[in-house]
Amino acid sequence: MARPPKKARVPLKKNHDHRPRQTNLTREDMTDLADLSTDERVSGKGALTRQRTVITDDSGALVVDDEACIPGRVLWAVGSNHCAVETERGTLECTVRRLVRDLARETRNAVAAGDLVLVRPADDRTGSIERIEPRRSTLSRGQGRHAHLIVANVDQAVIVASSTDPPLKPTLIDRFLVSCEAGNVSGIVCVNKADLIDPVPLQPILGQYSRMGYRCLLVSALTGQGIPALRLWLKGKTTVFTGQSGVGKSSLLNAVQEGLSLKTGEVSSDTGKGRHTTRVAELLPLQGGGWVVDTPGIRQLQLWGVKPAEVEGYFREFGPFVAHCRFPDCTHTHEAGCHIKAAVDEGKISPLRYESYVRMFLSEAIDIAALEAES
Ligand SMILES: Nc1nc2c(ncn2[C@@H]2O[C@H](COP(=O)(O)OP(=O)(O)OP(=O)(O)O)[C@@H](O)[C@H]2O)c(=O)[nH]1
Ligand SMILES: [Mg+2]
Ligand SMILES: [Zn+2]
């Protein structure tokens, strides 16, 4: 028998996490201001004590009026309060209930493409998201003190890099792989623009990922090389395409399925960088079954929710060696008796991967120190 709902005190997002801007208000700022006038009761003791009593079920999920709500899946979301949700009544354009937004304390955006939600329809075109269901996987990135949730509930991520133009950056691939591991998403390494290079020098890099158990593919959206294999891997799954701007994520998706007609853009001849052609992460159905999410390219990937000491755990190939380091809290950066460093010297761990590890370990440590110094 279902247990009765219970009351819980929950902390909410602070009202003023950042200094309010005085001018140039964007549409998002306007909705935030409109929210301030709601009648929610807030403790008078300042932002730190802002809490509210909510009704939850056994699993801690918000109790909502089931009769008035229907389940759905977020196809795309812009900011925290505007999204499209696919439901049995068609696609509804939705806002997000204020409490749901306030409960998303860690993330800048309350909802993301792929989120499973309960919607209260207002009419046959619009509605309001009343609850977000627990996520089985996420892909997020840090943005200062907050996370930006890129996508939720995907099975796998195709980490797209280009062989050149923009140049291949193995350390960025490693960052994406760590981010996938941390979010419970299975990572696939996909190097695009195979038509522009001699593939031989690339083989050792792809080989290193294959040996670790990651699926890898050298493809060309232009010539179609590798596209049938990619199509096969996407079938029946929900897959996000992620990577730097200009590597060809949208072009690959267009090659996988004619008719997607995603907008693609030139790589700047001055900077060698993409121009951020894709603006919003959007869930799209595949004809053969499955879903894909095209995402805007990102320049830098700041990890989220990964402490420096946890980074080693996301480097799969370190597993057999870490327990043998002389010091149990070895950071594998400078310590004597470090078996990770020994494995690098003996050719058992790739020096490129080790370099990525050290960079990630140090940058996470620096980021955390900076945030602590700020507060
Ligand atoms: N030569 C070659 N060019 C490609 C290939 N794939 C994509 N391009 C070109 O690379 C440029 C960028 O492609 P997009 O598909 O827009 O890249 P994106 O990763 O979606 O970029 P953002 O949306 O900005 O993140 C375009 O000019 C494409 O024509 C390829 O396989 N070979
Ligand atoms: Mg794109
Ligand atoms: Zn060590």
Side-chain angles (χ1 to χ4, degrees):
M1 206 180 76
R3 288 205 225 151
K6 56 186 179 191
K7 289 183 177 179
R9 290 286 284 171
V10 291
L12 299 181
K13 191 176 262 173
K14 294 175 201 166
N15 253 344
H16 296 292
D17 253 0
H18 47 82
R19 209 177 298 146
R21 253 190 292 170
Q22 300 302 319
T23 53
N24 301 330
L25 288 176
T26 63
R27 198 156 56 118
E28 216 177 297
D29 294 321
M30 297 300 274
T31 42
D32 282 351
L33 287 178
D35 285 342
L36 294 179
S37 62
T38 61
D39 60 359
E40 186 178 285
R41 286 179 57 181
V42 172
S43 151
K45 292 179 191 160
L48 288 176
T49 58
R50 193 165 181 263
Q51 292 207 331
R52 181 164 161 185
T53 303
V54 297
I55 313 291
T56 63
D57 66 13
D58 245 7
S59 67
L62 283 179
V63 169
V64 299
D65 179 1
D66 284 341
E67 307 252 302
C69 292
I70 52 173
R73 178 146 74 150
V74 176
L75 297 176
W76 53 257
V78 178
S80 263
N81 201 21
H82 182 202
C83 54
V85 182
E86 188 204 33
T87 73
E88 64 194 19
R89 297 196 202 165
T91 302
L92 303 180
E93 206 149 311
C94 291
T95 53
V96 182
R97 178 182 170 193
R98 173 72 198 259
L99 177 61
V100 170
R101 276 182 282 144
D102 279 351
L103 285 172
R105 294 173 68 231
E106 289 212 313
T107 53
R108 240 170 230 288
N109 49 334
V111 284
D115 260 328
L116 299 173
V117 294
L118 276 183
V119 175
R120 182 192 291 267
D123 52 41
D124 56 4
R125 283 190 314 107
T126 62
S128 155
I129 291 182
E130 299 291 297
R131 184 167 90 193
I132 300 172
E133 306 297 3
R135 297 165 175 134
R136 68 185 159 88
S137 67
T138 53
L139 201 63
S140 20
R141 59 190 292 227
Q143 279 190 340
R145 292 183 165 276
H146 292 277
H148 170 221
L149 183 62
I150 300 168
V151 69
N153 303 318
V154 290
D155 301 306
Q156 53 191 16
V158 172
I159 299 165
V160 184
S162 58
S163 59
T164 177
D165 197 20
L168 189 74
K169 294 195 191 106
T171 46
L172 192 60
I173 297 178
D174 292 334
R175 257 178 192 273
F176 275 111
L177 284 172
V178 168
S179 160
C180 285
E181 300 264 350
N184 199 26
V185 174
S186 160
I188 297 174
V189 178
C190 183
V191 178
N192 187 31
K193 309 199 187 183
D195 54 288
L196 295 180
I197 44 112
D198 167 12
V200 174
L202 269 185
Q203 291 309 333
I205 293 182
L206 290 179
Q208 99 184 356
Y209 293 116
S210 304
R211 279 195 298 280
M212 285 170 226
Y214 291 110
R215 283 172 291 167
C216 297
L217 212 50
L218 184 60
V219 299
S220 167
L222 193 77
T223 65
Q225 177 187 337
I227 301 297
L230 184 58
R231 211 176 272 136
L232 215 59
W233 286 351
L234 302 183
K235 203 170 170 187
K237 305 268 191 208
T238 303
T239 310
V240 58
F241 276 57
T242 186
Q244 259 187 299
S245 180
V247 292
K249 299 177 292 297
S250 305
S251 305
L252 281 175
L253 283 168
N254 286 338
V256 163
Q257 179 163 310
E258 244 180 81
L260 279 181
S261 307
L262 299 168
K263 203 171 149 201
T264 62
E266 296 296 308
V267 172
S268 156
S269 52
D270 298 341
T271 64
K273 290 177 178 165
R275 295 176 192 262
H276 296 276
T277 309
T278 305
R279 292 289 173 179
V280 177
E282 185 173 2
L283 200 59
L284 305 157
L286 286 177
Q287 279 148 11
W291 294 79
V292 285
V293 187
D294 190 14
T295 63
I298 52 187
R299 208 160 282 150
Q300 275 181 333
L301 177 65
Q302 189 192 329
L303 296 176
W304 178 256
V306 180
K307 298 195 181 87
E310 292 168 355
V311 175
E312 63 170 46
Y314 296 121
F315 278 70
R316 295 180 171 186
E317 73 277 31
F318 286 16
F321 306 102
V322 280
H324 301 290
C325 291
R326 185 181 304 160
F327 305 109
D329 58 351
C330 184
T331 66
H332 324 301
T333 53
H334 62 277
E335 294 88 343
C338 172
H339 273 241
I340 295 289
K341 283 196 288 176
V344 176
D345 292 341
E346 290 162 18
K348 293 177 183 157
I349 288 179
S350 138
L352 271 181
R353 286 279 289 176
Y354 177 67
E355 189 192 320
S356 287
Y357 164 77
V358 174
R359 280 210 211 178
M360 255 180 262
F361 175 83
L362 294 177
S363 69
E364 290 314 293
I366 289 167
D367 284 349
I368 285 179
L371 287 179
E372 277 169 2
E374 238 179 64
S375 57

